[in-house]
């Protein structure tokens, strides 16, 4: 009888999963299963924990409070070192910082929530800005500036809702501002039943609580800020201050503390319609801070019916120290708060008073009393289109009323003898009595220099004043210019008196005469301008006229412009002129004129001279050639970003957008200035500005295969489509070259978020798994060991739906590639396949439910890997054990359950009649734990149904073995290990000892 022999097979260096080959054909370092394990120097270690960052995950506000999946996370370090993460949830945009337990919503124009297609959002960072697209039809390109507080998010495409305007017009604080009806009586606190009308919106005689009780916060005020505001009676103030009215005064003695009151927004009377948007705030103030540094920040909010802020405006009030502690030591202050730029009528108004950043603690601070807020009827505003003043009867009354314009820095009127103002009024017979009043920089506020009354032109289109009566030293140093209304307009329409503006110096000329210009001929072109927060978006030019010849010493050109092709989006015309003294064939900007309704605009100054009619769109030019020497020149191609983009990236100093199968590159971006974000549809090789202009090209033509993703790869831009891969090379529009790769093979990217640079090469998820492209001629498969998991039908398994497959995402972090993908039958990414670049091997993480990930480091293993969960939570892949929220103690973290299966050990059958099957005698394992863990070690064989397992408790480094019963036989033997632990478990090696020999049976 043949002797019994033993063999010893060991696996002590693990290279990772191999699901492609059968177990007995696996290489020595390959394994059949490595769940929730990663490779570390040839050993397998349980994965890090998932730490939920938010105390409360994002969810719907109403029952059943469904969780909101997070999408498209983007992480980066700001200039101040703060680590920011942006993400999208249910169409809204949010931000948080590393270590924070909550989030902040970023609103479009700081007003309204985004309505994004969350699953399609892509973001890219360029300088201090983050740009965002979501692929929806007509959806604009959005820009987020996280250096601003609150974070400013705007649509770069024109006609997005405008930001709320700050106060741009002030009234001098005089007693006879309109009517005093409705102002505080200063005799008693206003009752809660105060009628809310434009004349009587909010009053507080003192800040005491109506009906007694706690005097700090009245019934209709809410406390805000770092601490409750204080109120003091005469006695408790200790002689520092006597309240102006009533028994109490408000103290804001902590920076940022304050109070707010919300009230319904009244509507205008007299049939004007709409909610009031301009308000007068008044209060009595006393400065007890000897440094004079304490202040009050007054903010007016416009809100919708649910309390969402539509816009806001603030003013900080400062006062000098006053040792007078009696009632006479109080200062009355009144300011205009304007919310004319709100996109819709507000339903509510909020008045807030906060302490300034330098407010002092204690009683030596600023005191407030007798606060009131009044809605202004027929308010005084500067029209946005013409920078003009529209006045009505509530603004004009007998004597002494001023409108002023501040100049910072100061301006000089020394080169002019005349100042002209455009004028219009529905009343063609009654003229107001107006004069200009100058203030010299450095003079006391009470020292003013008036002109004579303005003289109106016969047709009443403008008024002018001779300013030679004002001393020259004053005209050289003007820091404020007033328009004084010197009397009532008897018989005029009380709701629409007249409009004046803008102010401009007219030079040494009589208004009715022309200005001599040099001889022509001239050629004119115009462009349409859409003014945005990114700067002017300017169309290519169109001709206005043929050559205009000189007439004597004058060449007055009059022309009519067509209606704007851009419709209401066009806000201005730019008019350029060629010819005259300049023979360089360069168009020079003559005028920027507003489009649309409104008053005619007449401009006379020492550089330009022209007349523009909004109504007739007629332009009369009378500008000397010399005035255009330094004028801006015409540069074509200042187009707006295309809408409906579905992919974007930054490459070669440009922001690239994919719209369907068309690739757009922006003008060259310099620094953090977004104003150069122009796109031109056409490029000309001989254009002298080609090096800075943009580029557009069709990728694949009409192949019905939209671009999925854009990836910058060194000196090339990789363009991924679903069935092809393309590459753009070059430096500007003069030498950009597009080339296609594997166009007939049908290899492309099927999941837009599953593409990443790995060790300088592009990896992407294609039809049968992952592919690698290095910019050359080869596209090589890289996921053969896990291909059966990514493409189960090839191994007779249930398929992964195409929709779920397209939702896979990928990131390279810490020299490991993470592919988040679904399992068969799943609709979300429930598993992460992890590839280690050092071992060139795969493992698998379970319990993921991750839509995407963001990394702050790709150079080393760090904990700054953020996972966007489909359960409304943002996770960090760090720590020990899984914790759903930061409130879960580390000791209570859920343990990480892992499972391991070795390669198949054993010898193939030799065919004799004796001992045709080997028998495993013992299996061995070497592990190391950092806490007491129950590990289950098992063995199975392919030639029989018998299996066995045994559980051990391990604490620390241990090697153990299991004796296998004689009934376990087979050609191939697999060793399994499983368990669950909060702290890392390290698997160093496994082995099988087998016996052969004896008689058959």
């Amino acid at each position: 009888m043949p002797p019994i022999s033993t063999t010893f097979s060991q696996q002590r260096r693990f290279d990772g999963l191999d699901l492609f080959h059968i177990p007995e054909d696996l290489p020595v370092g390959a394994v059949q299963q490595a769940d929730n394990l990663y490779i570390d120097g040839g050993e397998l270690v349980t994965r890090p924990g998932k730490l939920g960052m938010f105390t409360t995950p994002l969810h719907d506000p109403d029952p059943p409070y469904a969780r909101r999946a997070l999408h498209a996370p983007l992480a980066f370090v700001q200039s101040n070192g703060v680590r920011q993460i942006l993400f999208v949830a249910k169409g809204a945009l949010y931000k948080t910082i590393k270590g924070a337990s909550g989030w902040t919503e970023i609103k479009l124009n700081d007003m309204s929530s985004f309505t994004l297609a969350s699953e399609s959002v892509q973001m890219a960072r360029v300088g201090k800005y983050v740009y965002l697209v979501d692929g929806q039809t007509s959806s604009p390109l959005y820009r987020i500036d996280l250096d601003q507080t609150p974070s400013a998010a705007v649509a770069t495409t024109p006609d997005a809702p405008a930001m709320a305007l700050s106060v741009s017009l002030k009234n001098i604080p005089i007693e006879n501002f309109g009517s005093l009806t409705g102002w505080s009586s200063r005799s008693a606190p206003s009752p809660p039943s105060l009628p809310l009308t434009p004349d009587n919106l909010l009053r507080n005689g003192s800040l005491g609580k109506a009906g007694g009780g706690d005097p700090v916060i009245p019934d209709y005020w809410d406390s805000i800020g770092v601490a409750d505001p204080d109120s003091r009676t005469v006695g408790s103030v200790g002689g520092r201050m006597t309240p102006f009215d009533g028994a109490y005064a408000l103290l804001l003695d902590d920076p940022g503390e304050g109070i707010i009151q919300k009230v319904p927004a009244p509507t205008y009377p007299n049939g004007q319609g709409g909610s009031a948007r301009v308000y007068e705030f008044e209060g009595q103030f006393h400065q007890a801070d000897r440094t004079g540094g304490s202040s009050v920040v007054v903010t007016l909010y416009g809100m919708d019916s649910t309390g969402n802020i539509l816009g806001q405006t603030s003013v900080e009030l400062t006062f000098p120290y006053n040792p007078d502690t009696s009632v006479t030591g109080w200062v009355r202050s009144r300011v205009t708060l304007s919310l004319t730029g709100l996109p819709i009528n507000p339903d509510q108004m909020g008045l807030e008073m906060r302490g300034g950043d330098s407010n002092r603690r204690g009683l030596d601070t600023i005191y407030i009393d007798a606060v009131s807020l009044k809605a202004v009827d027929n308010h005084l505003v500067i029209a946005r289109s013409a920078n003009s003043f529209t006045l009505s009867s509530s603004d004009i009354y007998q004597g002494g009323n001023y409108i002023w314009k501040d100049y910072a820095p100061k301006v000089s009127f020394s080169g002019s003898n005349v100042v002209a103002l455009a004028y219009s009024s529905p009343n063609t017979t009654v003229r107001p009595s107006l004069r200009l009043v100058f203030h010299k920089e450095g003079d006391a506020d009470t020292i003013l220099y008036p002109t004579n009354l303005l003289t109106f032109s016969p047709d009443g289109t403008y008024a002018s004043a001779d300013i030679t009566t004002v001393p020259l030293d004053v005209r050289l140093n003007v820091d404020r210019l007033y328009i004084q209304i010197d009397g009532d307009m008897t018989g005029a329409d009380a709701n629409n008196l007249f409009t004046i503006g803008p102010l401009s110096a007219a030079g040494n000329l009589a208004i009715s005469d022309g200005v001599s210009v040099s001889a022509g001929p001239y050629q004119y072109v115009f462009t349409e301008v859409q003014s945005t927060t990114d700067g002017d978006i300017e169309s290519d030019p169109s001709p206005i006229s043929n050559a205009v010849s000189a007439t004597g010493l004058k060449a007055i050109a009059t022309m009519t412009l067509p209606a704007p092709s851009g419709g209401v989006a066009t806000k201005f015309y730019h008019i350029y002129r060629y010819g005259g003294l300049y023979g360089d064939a360069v168009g020079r900007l003559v005028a920027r004129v507003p489009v649309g309704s409104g008053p005619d605009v007449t401009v006379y100054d020492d550089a330009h001279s022209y007349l523009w009619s909004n109504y007739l769109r007629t332009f009369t030019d009378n500008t000397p050639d010399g005035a255009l020497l330094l004028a801006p020149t015409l540069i074509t191609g200042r187009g707006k970003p295309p809408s409906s983009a579905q992919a974007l990236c930054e490459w070669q100093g440009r922001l690239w957008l994919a719209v369907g199968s068309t690739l757009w590159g922006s003008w060259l971006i310099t620094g953090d200035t977004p104003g150069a974000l122009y796109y031109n549809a056409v490029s000309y090789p001989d254009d002298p500005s080609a090096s800075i202009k943009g580029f557009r090209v069709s990728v694949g033509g009409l192949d019905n295969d939209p671009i999925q993703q854009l990836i910058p790869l060194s000196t090339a831009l990789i363009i991924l489509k679903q069935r092809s891969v393309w590459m753009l090379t070059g430096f500007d529009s003069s030498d950009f070259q597009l080339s296609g790769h594997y166009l007939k093979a049908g290899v492309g990217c099927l999941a837009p978020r599953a593409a990443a640079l790995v060790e300088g090469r592009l990896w992407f998820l294609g039809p049968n798994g992952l592919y690698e492209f290095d910019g050359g001629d080869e596209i090589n498969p890289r996921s053969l060991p896990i291909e059966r998991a990514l493409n189960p039908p090839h191994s007779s398994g249930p398929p992964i739906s195409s929709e779920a497959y397209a939702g896979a995402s990928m990131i390279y972090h810490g020299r490991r590639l993470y592919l988040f993908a679904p399992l068969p039958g799943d609709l979300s990414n429930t598993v992460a396949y992890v590839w280690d670049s050092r071992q060139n091997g795969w493992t698998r993480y379970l319990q993921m439910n991750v839509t995407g990930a963001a990394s702050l480091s790709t150079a080393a293993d760090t904990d700054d890997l953020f996972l966007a969960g489909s359960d409304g939570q943002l996770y960090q892949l760090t720590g020990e054990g899984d914790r759903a929220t930061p409130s879960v103690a580390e000791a209570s973290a859920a343990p990480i359950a892992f499972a391991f299966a070795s390669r198949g050990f054993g010898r193939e059958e030799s065919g004799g009649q004796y001992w045709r099957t080997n028998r495993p005698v013992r299996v061995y394992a070497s592990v190391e734990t950092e806490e007491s863990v129950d590990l289950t070690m098992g063995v199975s064989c392919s030639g029989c149904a018998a299996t066995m397992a045994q559980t051990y408790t391990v604490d620390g480094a241990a090697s153990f073995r299991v004796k296998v019963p004689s009934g376990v036989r087979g050609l191939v033997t697999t060793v399994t290990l499983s368990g669950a632990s909060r702290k890392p478990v390290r698997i160093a090696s496994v082995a099988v000892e087998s016996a052969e020999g004896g008689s058959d049976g």
Side-chain angles (χ1 to χ4, degrees):
M1 184 175 67
I4 296 176
S5 63
T6 61
T7 60
F8 189 83
S9 301
Q10 187 176 26
Q11 189 173 14
R12 59 180 302 158
R13 180 178 176 85
F14 302 110
D15 295 329
L17 284 172
D18 188 338
L19 307 179
F20 188 79
H21 297 94
I22 59 176
E24 58 266 34
D25 288 344
L26 295 188
V28 173
V31 299
Q32 299 180 59
Q33 185 178 16
D35 289 346
N36 281 335
L37 297 166
Y38 67 86
I39 308 170
D40 183 27
E43 298 179 337
L44 292 173
V45 185
T46 50
R47 69 162 171 84
K50 283 176 21 183
L51 171 61
M53 288 180 53
F54 300 148
T55 302
T56 303
L58 269 78
H59 57 77
D60 290 343
D62 302 314
Y65 307 110
R67 297 286 184 91
R68 294 183 170 183
L70 311 188
H71 292 275
L74 177 70
F76 55 89
V77 182
Q78 287 185 265
S79 57
N80 60 3
V82 175
R83 299 186 173 195
Q84 291 266 10
I85 305 99
L86 295 183
F87 59 90
V88 177
K90 205 169 185 178
L93 179 64
Y94 299 88
K95 71 172 182 177
T96 187
I97 62 175
K98 180 186 174 182
S101 59
W103 62 86
T104 301
E105 183 178 359
I106 300 176
K107 294 191 174 182
L108 182 60
N109 299 310
D110 196 28
M111 294 182 188
S112 56
S113 296
F114 280 84
T115 54
L116 302 167
S118 298
E119 294 81 359
S120 302
V121 167
Q122 292 192 25
M123 290 189 271
R125 184 185 182 190
V126 182
K128 70 174 184 177
Y129 297 103
V130 171
Y131 291 91
L132 181 153
V133 297
D134 69 349
Q136 295 187 85
T137 302
S138 301
S139 184
L141 170 69
Y142 296 101
R143 190 189 74 239
I144 301 98
D145 183 356
L146 290 179
D147 282 352
Q148 293 190 25
T149 303
S151 299
V154 298
T156 61
T157 305
D159 280 332
M163 292 285 289
L165 296 178
S166 60
V167 176
S168 55
L169 179 66
K170 299 179 181 178
N171 279 47
I172 194 167
I174 54 178
E175 284 300 315
N176 55 355
F177 177 83
S179 170
L180 291 179
T181 303
W183 288 91
S184 170
S185 64
R186 304 184 187 87
S187 59
S190 302
S193 60
L194 173 72
L196 297 172
T197 69
D199 288 332
N200 193 355
L201 178 62
L202 180 160
R203 290 184 297 172
N204 284 86
S206 71
L207 289 170
K209 179 178 178 181
D214 179 9
V216 177
I217 306 299
D219 290 330
Y220 36 93
W221 290 97
D222 293 322
S223 176
I224 57 174
V226 298
D228 284 340
D230 302 319
S231 70
R232 293 289 187 267
T233 64
V234 176
S236 64
V237 170
R240 284 182 172 83
M241 193 65 240
T242 299
F244 178 83
D245 179 58
Y248 298 97
L250 177 72
L251 277 71
L252 298 180
D253 61 344
D254 282 298
E257 75 173 4
I259 55 176
I260 187 172
Q261 182 177 164
K262 299 176 182 178
V263 294
T267 57
Y268 284 123
N270 304 324
Q272 291 189 355
S275 303
R277 300 196 186 191
V278 178
Y279 296 80
E280 290 296 327
F281 168 83
E282 183 189 68
Q284 293 285 345
F285 302 86
H286 173 78
Q287 180 67 278
D289 182 351
R290 294 178 181 274
T291 69
S294 295
S295 62
V296 180
V297 179
V298 180
T299 302
L300 183 67
Y301 299 94
M303 296 171 285
D304 62 18
S305 59
T306 61
N308 292 320
I309 295 175
L310 303 172
Q312 66 190 69
T313 185
S314 300
V315 62
E316 185 170 11
L317 303 178
T318 59
F319 305 92
Y321 168 67
N322 191 341
D324 182 358
T325 61
S326 68
V327 173
T328 60
W330 291 80
V331 175
R332 178 188 178 193
S333 182
R334 185 165 44 183
V335 293
T336 302
L337 299 170
S338 173
L339 290 172
T340 57
L342 295 182
I344 59 175
N345 284 318
D347 297 303
Q348 304 180 67
M349 307 305 296
L351 178 65
E352 176 187 279
M353 291 183 291
R354 284 182 180 269
D357 292 340
S358 301
N359 281 24
R360 298 172 57 124
R361 290 183 180 273
L363 300 177
D364 291 335
T365 185
I366 200 160
Y367 293 71
I368 308 170
D369 205 351
V371 171
S372 63
L373 182 72
K374 176 186 175 185
V376 179
D377 181 15
N378 296 325
H379 54 278
L380 186 67
V381 300
I382 296 181
R384 296 177 62 186
S385 60
N387 195 34
S388 57
F389 307 94
T390 302
L391 304 179
S392 64
S393 60
S394 65
D395 308 308
I396 299 182
Y397 49 90
Q398 192 62 48
N401 195 20
Y402 290 88
I403 308 163
W404 73 33
K405 181 178 180 64
D406 284 318
Y407 293 102
K410 66 182 181 181
V411 297
S412 171
F413 284 80
S414 61
S416 304
N417 293 333
V418 176
V419 168
L421 298 87
Y423 175 87
S424 66
S425 173
N427 192 314
T428 59
T429 58
V430 180
R431 298 279 186 262
S433 298
L434 304 174
R435 71 175 78 245
L436 302 181
V437 182
F438 291 85
H439 180 265
K440 179 184 177 183
E441 183 184 49
D443 281 357
D445 289 343
T446 56
I447 301 176
L448 300 171
Y449 298 88
T451 68
N452 295 323
L453 291 178
L454 272 64
T455 301
F456 285 85
S457 62
D459 61 359
T461 58
Y462 57 85
S464 61
D466 182 355
I467 63 174
T468 58
T469 58
V470 178
L472 180 60
D473 65 319
V474 175
R475 287 186 280 152
L476 283 168
N477 301 280
V478 177
D479 66 351
R480 184 173 297 168
L481 180 63
Y482 298 87
I483 306 172
Q484 182 182 15
I485 301 120
D486 209 37
D488 287 341
M489 290 178 63
T490 305
D493 182 353
N495 293 318
N496 188 4
L497 295 180
F498 60 86
T499 299
I500 53 176
L503 303 177
S504 59
N508 295 307
L509 65 127
I511 297 299
S512 59
D513 293 336
V515 179
S516 296
V517 296
S518 56
Y522 300 100
Q523 184 77 31
Y524 291 84
V525 299
F526 76 94
T527 61
E528 296 184 21
V529 177
Q530 301 177 9
S531 185
T532 75
T533 52
D534 277 343
D536 286 343
I537 300 299
E538 190 171 6
S539 71
D540 285 339
S542 300
I544 304 176
S545 68
N546 295 321
V548 178
S549 301
T551 304
L553 296 178
K554 299 181 181 180
I556 300 177
T558 300
M559 59 212 75
T560 300
L561 275 65
S565 61
V568 296
T570 299
K571 304 303 181 186
F572 298 94
Y573 289 116
H574 278 185
I575 300 174
Y576 296 88
R577 191 173 81 190
Y578 295 82
L581 295 178
Y582 307 105
D584 51 8
V586 173
R588 288 171 168 79
L589 182 65
V590 177
R592 172 187 173 96
V593 294
V595 175
S597 60
D600 286 357
V601 175
T602 308
V603 172
Y604 294 94
D605 60 28
D606 53 6
H608 300 73
S609 181
Y610 59 79
L611 175 65
W612 166 249
S613 170
N614 285 346
Y615 299 107
L616 302 176
R617 295 191 304 278
T618 58
F619 176 77
T620 301
D621 182 30
N622 203 4
T623 306
D625 283 348
L628 302 181
L629 178 62
L630 301 178
T633 57
L634 174 63
I635 300 178
T636 60
R638 289 192 175 117
K640 64 184 180 183
S643 59
S644 309
Q646 75 269 11
L648 80 171
C649 78
E650 187 274 335
W651 177 66
Q652 296 281 43
R654 305 171 192 270
L655 183 65
W656 296 83
L657 302 176
V659 181
S661 289
T662 302
L663 179 68
W664 295 76
S666 73
W667 285 34
L668 194 64
I669 299 174
T670 57
D672 280 332
T673 303
L677 196 63
Y678 298 126
Y679 289 81
N680 48 278
V682 180
S683 300
Y684 300 99
D686 57 349
D687 188 339
S689 302
S691 62
I692 65 169
K693 286 188 177 181
F695 181 72
R696 186 184 74 160
V697 65
S698 176
V699 181
L702 302 177
D703 59 1
N704 196 29
D705 186 10
I707 296 170
Q708 298 289 296
Q709 185 59 278
L710 303 173
I711 302 292
L713 177 64
S714 185
T715 58
L717 175 63
I718 309 302
I719 305 154
L720 295 172
K721 307 186 80 176
Q722 293 189 40
R723 298 183 295 275
S724 60
V725 178
W726 300 73
M727 187 165 64
L728 184 71
T729 57
F731 297 94
D732 56 50
S733 59
S734 66
D735 64 355
F736 281 135
Q737 295 291 326
L738 182 69
S739 58
H741 296 259
Y742 276 60
L743 303 183
K744 296 182 179 180
V747 176
C749 181
L750 298 185
R753 288 175 296 280
L757 289 178
V758 179
E759 303 291 320
R761 296 168 181 263
L762 174 64
W763 288 36
F764 60 90
L765 185 62
N768 296 307
L770 290 172
Y771 294 84
E772 179 188 79
F773 179 54
D774 63 358
D777 296 328
E778 297 294 327
I779 297 179
N780 299 312
R782 287 305 307 257
S783 58
L784 185 64
I786 60 170
E787 187 172 305
R788 293 182 186 275
L790 296 175
N791 202 346
H794 284 189
S795 55
S796 301
I800 299 174
S801 70
S802 58
E803 293 83 2
Y805 195 78
S809 64
M810 195 159 63
I811 194 169
Y812 186 63
H813 168 84
R815 299 191 68 181
R816 293 189 176 97
L817 178 73
Y818 296 80
L819 171 61
F820 301 97
L823 291 171
D826 290 341
L827 298 178
S828 59
N829 300 328
T830 51
V831 63
Y833 298 98
V834 183
W835 178 79
D836 190 289
S837 65
R838 292 153 291 203
Q839 294 291 129
N840 191 28
W842 294 90
T843 59
R844 186 174 71 165
Y845 291 178
L846 302 178
Q847 298 89 42
M848 288 291 105
N849 295 317
V850 170
T851 65
S855 172
L856 280 172
S857 172
T858 58
D861 290 331
T862 72
D863 60 352
D864 291 334
L865 179 61
F866 301 94
L867 310 180
S870 57
D871 57 357
Q873 183 62 278
L874 183 66
Y875 295 94
Q876 281 185 259
L877 197 61
T878 182
E880 298 172 347
D882 288 343
R883 291 189 279 167
T885 67
S887 58
V888 177
E890 187 171 314
S892 302
I896 308 297
F898 68 92
F900 163 85
S902 70
R903 68 180 177 89
F905 294 96
R907 294 185 177 181
E908 295 194 16
E909 185 178 5
S910 59
Q913 69 271 29
Y914 297 105
W915 294 92
R916 291 177 302 175
T917 57
N918 64 300
R919 182 174 69 84
V921 179
R922 297 175 184 83
V923 294
Y924 300 82
S926 177
V927 300
E928 183 178 352
T929 68
E930 296 183 14
E931 63 180 0
S932 181
V933 180
D934 290 336
L935 299 180
T936 299
M937 185 175 182
V939 59
S940 63
C941 61
S942 60
C944 63
T947 60
M948 67 158 295
Q950 187 168 338
T951 300
Y952 294 85
T953 299
V954 180
D955 190 355
S959 295
F960 49 91
R961 65 184 182 181
V962 174
K963 184 176 180 181
V964 181
S966 59
V968 177
R969 298 172 181 268
L971 299 178
V972 181
T973 302
T974 297
V975 180
T976 61
L977 280 171
S978 62
S981 174
R982 288 187 306 108
K983 295 182 179 294
V985 174
R986 182 176 293 269
I987 303 173
S989 66
V990 295
V992 173
E993 182 182 0
S994 300
E996 297 185 17
S999 61
D1000 187 7

